[in-house]
Amino acid sequence: MAFPLQRMRRLRQSEPLRRMVRETALAPSDLMYPLFVREGTDRQEAIPSMPGQCRWPLDLLIKEAADAHGLGIPAVMLFGLPVHKDERGTSAYDPNGIVQRAVRALKDQIPDLIVVTDVCIDEYTSHGHCGLVKDGRIINDETLKCLRLMAKTHAEAGADVVAPSDMMDGRVAAIRDELDQRGFEDVPIMSYAAKYASCLYAPFREAALSSPAFGDRCTYQMDPANAREAVREVQLDVEEGADIVMVKPALPYLDVIARARAEVGVPLAAYQVSGEYSMIKAAAQREWLDESKVILETLLSIKRAGADLILTYFAKDAAKLLHASGI
Ligand code: PBG
């Protein structure tokens, strides 16, 4: 059956008709909002390469999170910016560290908000790498000890989900083991399973003050050329006990999202990263693109590719747009 019996335009004639046959829906409940909390300051600091995003002091972080929660966003992801950095990133697993304190305050004041914590030492190390460094190399197994402690102290503070983003091998199994030993067998792990060595993290590194002092992250993050390898990463993390797996970045890696979706049954998250945010903001500021439309189209595309959850700095804007459109 072909034209003229088949006319694809029949079902596109009006918005109600289009809405009726729409395959993908985006909702505020799909979104997670990443937030930066900074120790040792009482002022909010704008992040120049991420217009509209800030480093928050603890009290204002709570206001911002409450705002997002009020818009129907179920979860925030916390990144901590400590005063003290050292070789081993010890302030990452200080029970009284900035993220641990932020988690306690958030769970105390907004109990229904899901608080997810980033588990990775790069913001806490003097060298800015996601693993411990020995003789100029990033060492895997020793780093797992730090990650165990970091995840444990986050769970003790009340984190609802821990999210390792370091890309060390075996970290999901190590964190699962640590949490289970400490009675946190019900705390889920969302692993950054297929995390690429992307140039699109540059604004984040400015925001989080976490650029590596030497070298790059190519010995632990994935080569952007590889998709089959992403399937292995995702499967391994599920075998190690990941409850949710993530692909990151999102828009340039929609094929990876679709493949991961086809390969595993666990919920899949995708991270629309800082550089994706900054590109859209920069084009919108020049009035080259309509910001609201780009936000909704990119997030919808990420969902259509197979993501169940999307981490995005546009979470609040998107939620407002979705509410305004009556969804
Ligand atoms: C590492 C981490 C990074 C991001 C999230 N977790 C930076 C990196 O790997 O260099 C990037 C997120 C973004 O760009 O928005 N802790």
Side-chain angles (χ1 to χ4, degrees), residues 271-286:
Y271 199 143
Q272 182 178 52
V273 300
S274 58
E276 296 178 71
Y277 177 86
S278 303
M279 289 194 286
I280 294 169
K281 277 285 176 190
Q285 282 180 346
R286 285 163 184 73

Side-chain angles (χ1 to χ4, degrees), residues 305-323:
D308 302 297
L309 298 164
I310 306 173
L311 289 108
T312 176
Y313 302 97
F314 287 120
K316 280 175 59 189
D317 309 80
K320 284 180 200 156
L321 291 165
L322 291 169
H323 289 304

Side-chain angles (χ1 to χ4, degrees), residues 216-294:
D216 54 35
R217 303 211 200 285
C218 293
T219 69
Y220 42 106
Q221 298 181 351
M222 284 183 59
D223 184 334
N226 296 356
R228 291 193 303 266
E229 188 187 342
V231 173
R232 291 181 63 207
E233 281 282 8
V234 164
Q235 284 171 337
L236 280 172
D237 279 10
V238 172
E239 280 167 31
E240 287 183 29
D243 300 280
I244 302 173
V245 290
M246 191 202 295
V247 172
K248 175 187 174 185
L251 205 63
Y253 295 85
L254 293 184
D255 58 323
V256 177
I257 294 173
R259 275 170 88 152
R261 172 70 298 152
E263 294 292 336
V264 290
V266 299
L268 180 64
Y271 199 143
Q272 182 178 52
V273 300
S274 58
E276 296 178 71
Y277 177 86
S278 303
M279 289 194 286
I280 294 169
K281 277 285 176 190
Q285 282 180 346
R286 285 163 184 73
E287 297 182 25
W288 290 349
L289 290 173
D290 179 328
E291 180 171 338
S292 303
K293 289 184 174 158
V294 185

